[in-house]
Amino acid sequence: LKAISVEAVVDSVVRQHTDADGFPSAAMLGALRGAARQGGVSHLNWVRAFSSGKKIVAPPMTYISGEEMSWYTMKLIRERWVEPFIDTGAWEHFDLSCKSRDDTKDKVLHDAVASGAKIGAIFKEPTITPTADQVKELGLSKPWGSPNGAMRRGWNG
C-alpha cells in the first residue's frame, strides 16, 4: 500500500466534486479539511467515504421543514451538500408550512411530534405562526398557532 496524506485525499475529493462552473464547494472543502485536521480513525473513514464515491448512511432522524427563506436555504444545502454524499433514506420528512398544516388540519404537526418522540433525533427548520394578514394571503382556513408548544410537550422539553 502506498502512503498518502489526508490532505492529498481531500484535494482529490474536492477536484471530483465541483459545481457546474468548475469551482469546488467551499463548504465541502472546509468540512473535509477540518476533518483532516482532527485526525483519528473516524475522521479518516469519513474522508475515505467521500473519496470512494459511496454515500454515508445517515441514522434515522425526524426532519421538519419550515417555510420562507429558511426552507429555501435548507433545500439548497440538502441538494448540494447533503444528498449527493449522504443517504438520508432513514429520515422521516414532515412539511410544517402553514399551507401543509392547513391542508391536513394540523395532522402533520401531530405526526411530526410522534415521529420525533419515537426516533429521538430531530432537525427542525424555523416555522412561522401566521399573522391575520398571512392567513388571508395564504388562504388558510384559520390562524394555526405556533407548533413549538406541541413539540415541547411531545418531546418533554
Coordinates of all heavy atoms in Angstrom, one line a residue, residues 52-111:
S52 N -14.4 7.6 -2.0 CA -14.8 6.3 -2.6 C -16.0 6.4 -3.5 O -16.3 5.6 -4.3 CB -15.1 5.2 -1.6 OG -16.3 5.5 -0.9
G53 N -16.7 7.5 -3.4 CA -18.0 7.7 -4.2 C -19.2 7.1 -3.5 O -20.3 7.2 -4.1
K54 N -19.0 6.3 -2.4 CA -20.1 5.7 -1.7 C -20.7 6.8 -0.8 O -20.0 7.6 -0.2 CB -19.6 4.5 -0.9 CG -19.1 3.4 -1.7 CD -18.6 2.3 -0.8 CE -18.0 1.2 -1.6 NZ -17.4 0.1 -0.8
K55 N -22.0 6.7 -0.7 CA -22.7 7.6 0.2 C -22.6 7.1 1.7 O -22.6 5.9 1.9 CB -24.2 7.7 -0.1 CG -24.5 8.5 -1.3 CD -26.0 8.7 -1.5 CE -26.3 9.6 -2.6 NZ -27.7 9.9 -2.7
I56 N -22.5 8.0 2.6 CA -22.5 7.7 4.0 C -24.0 7.5 4.4 O -24.8 8.3 4.0 CB -21.9 8.9 4.8 CG1 -20.4 9.0 4.5 CG2 -22.1 8.6 6.3 CD1 -19.8 10.3 5.0
V57 N -24.3 6.5 5.1 CA -25.7 6.2 5.5 C -26.0 7.0 6.8 O -25.4 6.8 7.8 CB -26.0 4.7 5.7 CG1 -27.4 4.5 6.2 CG2 -25.7 4.0 4.4
A58 N -27.0 7.9 6.7 CA -27.3 8.7 7.9 C -28.3 7.9 8.8 O -29.1 7.1 8.3 CB -28.0 10.0 7.5
P59 N -28.2 8.0 10.1 CA -29.1 7.3 11.0 C -30.5 7.9 10.9 O -30.7 9.0 10.4 CB -28.5 7.6 12.4 CG -27.7 8.8 12.3 CD -27.2 8.8 10.8
P60 N -31.5 7.2 11.4 CA -32.9 7.8 11.4 C -33.0 9.1 12.1 O -32.3 9.4 13.0 CB -33.7 6.7 12.1 CG -32.9 5.5 12.0 CD -31.5 5.9 12.0
M61 N -33.8 10.0 11.5 CA -34.0 11.3 12.1 C -35.3 11.8 11.6 O -35.8 11.5 10.5 CB -32.9 12.3 11.6 CG -33.0 13.7 12.1 SD -31.6 14.7 11.7 CE -31.9 15.0 9.9
T62 N -36.0 12.7 12.4 CA -37.2 13.4 12.0 C -36.8 14.7 11.5 O -36.1 15.5 12.2 CB -38.1 13.6 13.2 OG1 -38.5 12.3 13.7 CG2 -39.4 14.3 12.8
Y63 N -37.1 15.0 10.2 CA -36.7 16.2 9.5 C -38.0 17.0 9.3 O -38.9 16.6 8.6 CB -36.0 16.0 8.2 CG -35.5 17.2 7.6 CD1 -34.1 17.5 7.6 CD2 -36.3 18.2 6.9 CE1 -33.5 18.6 7.1 CE2 -35.7 19.3 6.4 CZ -34.4 19.5 6.5 OH -33.8 20.7 5.9
I64 N -38.0 18.2 10.0 CA -39.2 19.1 9.9 C -38.8 20.3 9.1 O -38.0 21.1 9.5 CB -39.7 19.5 11.3 CG1 -40.1 18.2 12.1 CG2 -40.8 20.4 11.2 CD1 -40.4 18.4 13.5
S65 N -39.5 20.4 7.9 CA -39.2 21.6 7.1 C -40.2 22.7 7.5 O -41.3 22.5 7.9 CB -39.3 21.3 5.6 OG -40.6 20.8 5.3
G66 N -39.7 24.0 7.3 CA -40.5 25.1 7.6 C -41.0 25.8 6.4 O -41.5 25.2 5.5
E67 N -40.7 27.1 6.3 CA -41.1 27.9 5.1 C -40.3 29.1 5.0 O -39.4 29.4 5.8 CB -42.6 28.2 5.1 CG -43.1 28.9 6.3 CD -44.6 28.7 6.4 OE1 -45.3 28.9 5.3 OE2 -45.1 28.4 7.4
E68 N -40.6 29.9 4.0 CA -39.9 31.1 3.6 C -38.5 30.9 3.3 O -38.1 29.8 2.8 CB -40.2 32.2 4.7 CG -41.7 32.5 4.8 CD -42.0 33.6 5.8 OE1 -41.2 33.8 6.7 OE2 -43.0 34.3 5.6
M69 N -37.6 31.8 3.7 CA -36.2 31.7 3.3 C -35.5 30.5 4.0 O -34.6 30.0 3.4 CB -35.5 33.0 3.6 CG -35.8 34.1 2.6 SD -35.6 33.6 0.9 CE -33.8 33.4 0.8
S70 N -35.8 30.2 5.2 CA -35.1 29.1 5.8 C -35.4 27.8 5.0 O -34.5 26.9 4.9 CB -35.6 28.9 7.3 OG -36.9 28.6 7.4
W71 N -36.6 27.6 4.6 CA -36.9 26.4 3.8 C -36.1 26.4 2.5 O -35.5 25.4 2.1 CB -38.4 26.4 3.4 CG -38.8 25.3 2.5 CD1 -39.1 24.0 2.8 CD2 -38.8 25.3 1.0 NE1 -39.3 23.2 1.7 CE2 -39.2 24.1 0.6 CE3 -38.6 26.3 0.1 CZ2 -39.3 23.8 -0.8 CZ3 -38.8 26.1 -1.2 CH2 -39.1 24.8 -1.7
Y72 N -36.0 27.5 1.8 CA -35.3 27.6 0.5 C -33.8 27.4 0.8 O -33.2 26.6 0.0 CB -35.5 28.9 -0.1 CG -34.8 29.1 -1.4 CD1 -35.2 28.3 -2.6 CD2 -33.7 29.9 -1.6 CE1 -34.6 28.4 -3.8 CE2 -33.0 30.0 -2.8 CZ -33.5 29.3 -3.9 OH -32.8 29.4 -5.0
T73 N -33.3 28.0 1.8 CA -31.8 27.8 2.1 C -31.5 26.4 2.4 O -30.5 25.8 1.9 CB -31.5 28.7 3.3 OG1 -31.8 30.1 3.0 CG2 -30.0 28.6 3.7
M74 N -32.3 25.7 3.3 CA -32.1 24.3 3.6 C -32.2 23.4 2.4 O -31.5 22.4 2.2 CB -32.9 23.9 4.7 CG -32.6 24.4 6.1 SD -30.8 24.2 6.5 CE -30.7 22.4 6.4
K75 N -33.1 23.7 1.5 CA -33.3 23.0 0.2 C -32.0 23.0 -0.6 O -31.6 22.0 -1.1 CB -34.5 23.5 -0.6 CG -34.8 22.8 -1.9 CD -36.0 23.5 -2.6 CE -36.3 22.9 -3.9 NZ -35.4 23.1 -4.9
L76 N -31.4 24.2 -0.7 CA -30.2 24.3 -1.4 C -29.1 23.5 -0.8 O -28.3 22.8 -1.4 CB -29.8 25.8 -1.6 CG -30.6 26.6 -2.5 CD1 -30.1 28.1 -2.4 CD2 -30.6 26.1 -3.9
I77 N -29.0 23.6 0.6 CA -27.9 22.9 1.3 C -28.1 21.4 1.1 O -27.2 20.7 0.9 CB -28.0 23.3 2.8 CG1 -27.5 24.7 2.9 CG2 -27.1 22.3 3.7 CD1 -27.7 25.3 4.3
R78 N -29.3 20.9 1.3 CA -29.6 19.5 1.1 C -29.2 19.0 -0.3 O -28.6 18.0 -0.5 CB -31.0 19.1 1.4 CG -31.4 19.1 2.9 CD -32.8 18.5 3.2 NE -33.8 18.8 2.2 CZ -34.6 19.8 2.2 NH1 -34.6 20.7 3.2 NH2 -35.5 20.0 1.2
E79 N -29.7 19.7 -1.3 CA -29.4 19.3 -2.7 C -28.0 19.3 -3.1 O -27.5 18.5 -3.8 CB -30.2 20.2 -3.7 CG -31.7 20.0 -3.6 CD -32.5 20.9 -4.5 OE1 -31.9 21.9 -5.0 OE2 -33.7 20.8 -4.6
R80 N -27.2 20.3 -2.6 CA -25.8 20.5 -3.0 C -24.8 19.7 -2.1 O -23.8 19.2 -2.6 CB -25.4 22.0 -3.0 CG -25.9 22.7 -4.2 CD -25.3 24.1 -4.2 NE -25.6 24.7 -5.5 CZ -24.9 25.6 -6.0 NH1 -23.8 26.0 -5.4 NH2 -25.2 26.1 -7.2
W81 N -25.1 19.7 -0.8 CA -24.0 19.2 0.1 C -24.4 18.0 1.0 O -23.6 17.5 1.6 CB -23.5 20.4 1.0 CG -22.9 21.5 0.2 CD1 -22.0 21.3 -0.8 CD2 -23.2 22.9 0.3 NE1 -21.7 22.6 -1.3 CE2 -22.4 23.5 -0.7 CE3 -24.1 23.6 1.0 CZ2 -22.4 24.9 -0.9 CZ3 -24.1 25.0 0.9 CH2 -23.3 25.6 -0.1
V82 N -25.7 17.7 1.0 CA -26.1 16.5 1.8 C -26.4 15.4 0.9 O -25.8 14.3 1.0 CB -27.3 16.9 2.7 CG1 -27.8 15.7 3.5 CG2 -26.9 18.0 3.7
E83 N -27.5 15.5 0.1 CA -28.0 14.4 -0.7 C -27.0 13.7 -1.7 O -27.0 12.5 -1.8 CB -29.2 14.8 -1.5 CG -30.4 15.1 -0.5 CD -31.5 15.8 -1.1 OE1 -31.5 16.1 -2.3 OE2 -32.5 16.1 -0.3
P84 N -26.0 14.4 -2.3 CA -25.0 13.7 -3.1 C -24.1 12.8 -2.3 O -23.5 11.9 -2.9 CB -24.3 14.9 -3.8 CG -25.1 16.1 -3.7 CD -25.9 15.9 -2.4
F85 N -23.9 13.0 -1.0 CA -22.9 12.3 -0.3 C -23.5 11.5 0.9 O -22.8 10.6 1.4 CB -21.9 13.4 0.3 CG -21.4 14.3 -0.7 CD1 -21.9 15.6 -0.8 CD2 -20.5 13.9 -1.7 CE1 -21.4 16.5 -1.7 CE2 -20.1 14.7 -2.7 CZ -20.5 16.1 -2.7
I86 N -24.7 11.8 1.3 CA -25.3 11.1 2.4 C -26.6 10.5 2.1 O -27.5 11.2 1.5 CB -25.4 12.1 3.6 CG1 -24.1 12.7 4.0 CG2 -26.1 11.5 4.8 CD1 -24.1 13.8 5.0
D87 N -26.8 9.2 2.4 CA -28.1 8.5 2.2 C -29.0 8.9 3.3 O -28.8 8.5 4.5 CB -27.8 7.0 2.1 CG -29.1 6.2 2.0 OD1 -30.2 6.8 1.9 OD2 -29.0 5.0 1.9
T88 N -30.0 9.7 3.0 CA -31.0 10.1 4.0 C -32.3 9.3 4.0 O -33.3 9.8 4.5 CB -31.3 11.6 3.8 OG1 -31.9 11.8 2.5 CG2 -30.0 12.5 4.0
G89 N -32.2 8.1 3.4 CA -33.4 7.3 3.3 C -34.1 7.0 4.6 O -35.3 6.7 4.6
A90 N -33.4 7.0 5.7 CA -34.0 6.6 7.0 C -34.6 7.9 7.7 O -35.2 7.7 8.7 CB -32.9 6.1 7.9
W91 N -34.5 9.0 7.0 CA -35.1 10.2 7.6 C -36.6 10.2 7.3 O -37.1 9.9 6.3 CB -34.5 11.5 7.0 CG -33.1 11.7 7.4 CD1 -32.3 11.0 8.2 CD2 -32.3 12.9 7.1 NE1 -31.0 11.5 8.3 CE2 -31.0 12.7 7.6 CE3 -32.5 14.0 6.3 CZ2 -30.0 13.6 7.5 CZ3 -31.5 14.9 6.1 CH2 -30.2 14.7 6.7
E92 N -37.4 10.7 8.3 CA -38.8 10.9 8.1 C -39.0 12.4 8.0 O -38.6 13.2 8.8 CB -39.6 10.4 9.3 CG -39.5 8.9 9.5 CD -40.3 8.3 10.6 OE1 -41.3 9.0 11.1 OE2 -40.1 7.2 11.0
H93 N -39.6 12.8 6.8 CA -39.8 14.2 6.5 C -41.2 14.7 6.8 O -42.2 14.0 6.4 CB -39.5 14.4 5.0 CG -38.0 14.2 4.7 ND1 -37.1 15.2 4.6 CD2 -37.3 13.1 4.4 CE1 -35.9 14.7 4.3 NE2 -36.0 13.4 4.2
F94 N -41.3 15.9 7.3 CA -42.6 16.5 7.6 C -42.6 17.9 7.2 O -41.7 18.7 7.6 CB -43.0 16.3 9.1 CG -43.1 14.9 9.5 CD1 -42.0 14.2 10.0 CD2 -44.3 14.3 9.4 CE1 -42.1 12.9 10.4 CE2 -44.4 12.9 9.8 CZ -43.3 12.2 10.3
D95 N -43.6 18.4 6.4 CA -43.7 19.7 6.0 C -44.6 20.5 6.9 O -45.8 20.3 6.9 CB -44.3 19.7 4.6 CG -44.6 21.1 4.0 OD1 -44.2 22.1 4.7 OD2 -45.2 21.2 2.9
L96 N -44.0 21.3 7.8 CA -44.8 22.1 8.7 C -45.1 23.5 8.2 O -45.3 24.4 9.0 CB -44.1 22.1 10.1 CG -44.8 21.2 11.1 CD1 -44.8 19.8 10.7 CD2 -44.2 21.4 12.5
S97 N -45.1 23.7 6.9 CA -45.5 25.0 6.4 C -47.0 25.3 6.8 O -47.7 24.3 7.1 CB -45.3 25.1 4.9 OG -46.3 24.2 4.3
C98 N -47.4 26.5 6.8 CA -48.7 26.9 7.2 C -49.7 26.2 6.2 O -50.8 25.7 6.7 CB -48.9 28.4 7.1 SG -48.1 29.3 8.4
K99 N -49.4 26.2 5.0 CA -50.3 25.6 4.0 C -50.5 24.1 4.2 O -51.6 23.6 4.2 CB -49.8 25.8 2.6 CG -50.7 25.5 1.5 CD -51.8 26.6 1.5 CE -52.8 26.3 0.3 NZ -54.1 26.7 0.6
S100 N -49.4 23.4 4.5 CA -49.5 21.9 4.8 C -50.3 21.7 6.1 O -51.1 20.8 6.2 CB -48.1 21.4 5.0 OG -48.1 20.0 5.3
R101 N -50.0 22.5 7.1 CA -50.8 22.3 8.4 C -52.3 22.6 8.1 O -53.1 21.8 8.7 CB -50.2 23.3 9.4 CG -48.8 22.9 9.9 CD -48.3 23.8 10.9 NE -49.1 23.8 12.2 CZ -49.1 24.7 13.1 NH1 -48.4 25.8 13.0 NH2 -49.9 24.5 14.2
D102 N -52.6 23.5 7.3 CA -54.0 23.8 7.0 C -54.6 22.7 6.2 O -55.7 22.2 6.4 CB -54.1 25.1 6.2 CG -55.5 25.7 6.1 OD1 -56.0 26.0 7.2 OD2 -56.0 25.9 5.0
D103 N -53.9 22.2 5.2 CA -54.4 21.1 4.3 C -54.6 19.8 5.1 O -55.5 19.1 4.7 CB -53.4 20.8 3.2 CG -53.3 21.9 2.1 OD1 -54.2 22.8 2.1 OD2 -52.4 21.9 1.3
T104 N -53.8 19.6 6.1 CA -54.0 18.3 6.9 C -54.7 18.6 8.2 O -54.8 17.7 9.0 CB -52.6 17.7 7.2 OG1 -51.9 18.6 8.1 CG2 -51.8 17.4 6.0
K105 N -55.3 19.8 8.4 CA -56.0 20.1 9.6 C -55.1 19.9 10.8 O -55.5 19.4 11.9 CB -57.3 19.4 9.8 CG -58.2 19.7 8.5 CD -59.6 19.9 8.9 CE -60.5 20.1 7.8 NZ -60.1 20.9 6.7
D106 N -53.8 20.2 10.7 CA -52.7 20.1 11.7 C -52.3 18.6 12.0 O -51.5 18.4 12.9 CB -53.1 20.8 13.0 CG -51.9 21.7 13.5 OD1 -51.0 21.9 12.7 OD2 -52.0 22.1 14.6
K107 N -52.8 17.6 11.3 CA -52.4 16.3 11.5 C -50.9 16.1 11.3 O -50.2 15.4 12.0 CB -53.1 15.3 10.6 CG -52.8 13.9 10.8 CD -53.6 12.9 9.9 CE -53.3 11.5 10.2 NZ -51.9 11.1 10.3
V108 N -50.3 16.9 10.3 CA -48.9 16.8 10.0 C -48.0 17.2 11.3 O -47.0 16.6 11.5 CB -48.5 17.6 8.8 CG1 -48.6 19.1 9.0 CG2 -47.1 17.3 8.3
L109 N -48.5 18.1 12.0 CA -47.8 18.5 13.3 C -47.8 17.3 14.3 O -46.8 17.0 14.8 CB -48.4 19.8 13.9 CG -47.9 20.1 15.3 CD1 -46.4 20.4 15.3 CD2 -48.7 21.3 15.9
H110 N -49.0 16.7 14.4 CA -49.0 15.6 15.4 C -48.2 14.4 14.9 O -47.6 13.7 15.8 CB -50.5 15.3 15.6 CG -51.3 16.4 16.2 ND1 -51.1 16.9 17.5 CD2 -52.2 17.2 15.6 CE1 -51.9 17.9 17.6 NE2 -52.6 18.2 16.5
D111 N -48.2 14.2 13.6 CA -47.4 13.1 13.1 C -45.9 13.4 13.3 O -45.1 12.5 13.6 CB -47.6 12.9 11.6 CG -49.0 12.3 11.3 OD1 -49.7 11.9 12.3 OD2 -49.4 12.4 10.2

